[in-house]
């Protein structure tokens, strides 16, 4: 599952407000956990969060939060669940939308990492993205989480030199931090 995610999805450009909101939400839920845990629960998350429709999640009430806390198919962390709801509400208020805001931070010219040691966990771009998201009221979006998002949705290409997926991700992608990287 992890290898398929790396080879077929990680670093592929993702656009559209709901699609980007899903990735922002999953990255927040991943904080402090293994990415494989999130991958295994991703379909459960999609079902529980109305396929990450910003409009629907923004309308969630305390009853919905309680429902989600009782759902064993997802990560049942109140702060992360409430952050997803709050982030959906913040996304509704973004002029131009969430996808446009996030993609302003793309870095297609980032250097090609030759080894895993060349892959950063945080960059000036991820710091700027995290700061801008927080300015708009987003939660669980620090610079490390923002960089993982940037990698996952193709804002940078961190597939290392010679990686089978690097060309697929070009010209908009860079490779995951060690905790998020599949073994090759």
């Amino acid at each position: 599952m992890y290898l398929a995610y790396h080879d077929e999805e990680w670093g592929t450009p993702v656009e559209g407000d709901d699609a980007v909101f899903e990735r922002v939400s999953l990255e927040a839920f991943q904080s402090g956990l293994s990415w494989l845990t999130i991958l295994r629960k991703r379909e459960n998350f999609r079902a529980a969060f109305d396929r990450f429709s910003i409009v629907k999640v923004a309308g969630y009430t305390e009853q919905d939060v309680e429902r989600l806390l009782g759902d064993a198919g997802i990560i049942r962390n109140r702060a992360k669940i409430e952050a997803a709801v709050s982030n959906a509400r913040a996304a509704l208020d973004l002029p131009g939308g969430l996808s446009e805001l996030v993609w302003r931070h793309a870095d297609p010219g980032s250097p090609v990492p030759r080894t895993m040691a060349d892959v950063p966990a945080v960059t000036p771009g991820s710091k700027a993205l995290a700061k801008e998201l927080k300015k708009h009221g987003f939660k669980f979006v620090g610079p490390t989480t923002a960089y993982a998002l940037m990698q996952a949705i193709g804002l940078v290409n961190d597939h290392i030199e010679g990686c089978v997926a690097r060309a697929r991700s070009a010209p908009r992608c860079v490779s995951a931090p060690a905790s998020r990287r599949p073994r090759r």
Side-chain angles (χ1 to χ4, degrees):
M1 178 182 266
Y2 201 42
L3 203 51
Y5 173 73
H6 169 269
D7 289 352
E8 299 166 16
E9 185 176 347
W10 188 72
T12 300
V14 172
E15 298 184 62
D17 289 347
D18 289 348
V20 172
F21 175 65
E22 174 182 349
R23 299 332 191 281
V24 168
S25 299
L26 293 177
E27 293 294 345
F29 275 101
Q30 185 274 327
S31 182
L33 302 171
S34 160
W35 183 245
L36 188 55
T37 299
I38 301 303
L39 282 179
R40 288 180 176 147
K41 294 179 177 275
R42 183 161 56 169
E43 287 307 316
N44 297 333
F45 273 109
R46 287 174 172 162
F49 282 90
D50 288 301
R51 306 218 58 82
F52 291 97
S53 162
I54 292 172
V55 170
K56 289 180 181 178
V57 176
Y60 281 9
T61 64
E62 183 57 34
Q63 284 182 315
D64 292 298
V65 171
E66 292 301 322
R67 170 185 58 83
L68 292 165
L69 284 169
D71 188 336
I74 66 167
I75 305 301
R76 295 180 289 179
N77 177 299
R78 180 178 289 277
K80 291 177 181 182
I81 291 169
E82 288 175 346
V85 175
S86 177
N87 290 350
R89 292 174 183 155
L92 284 179
D93 293 334
L94 291 173
L98 179 60
S99 184
E100 190 274 330
L101 181 151
V102 169
W103 274 94
R104 281 197 310 250
H105 298 275
D107 188 6
S110 59
V112 177
R114 295 185 59 201
T115 69
M116 298 306 229
D118 295 333
V119 179
V122 173
T123 64
S126 74
K127 289 177 184 176
L129 174 57
K131 183 177 180 178
E132 187 167 1
L133 287 168
K134 286 179 182 181
K135 179 180 86 173
H136 289 285
F138 281 75
K139 299 173 182 167
F140 275 93
V141 290
T144 302
T145 299
Y147 194 66
L149 172 69
M150 293 171 74
Q151 292 171 309
I153 68 170
L155 273 69
V156 294
N157 186 349
D158 271 347
H159 290 285
I160 62 170
E161 185 177 73
C163 175
V164 297
R166 181 157 183 81
R168 174 200 39 83
S169 297
R172 296 161 97 169
C173 185
V174 190
S175 192
S179 64
R180 300 281 309 277
R181 213 175 326 151
R183 300 270 185 246
R184 292 293 296 181

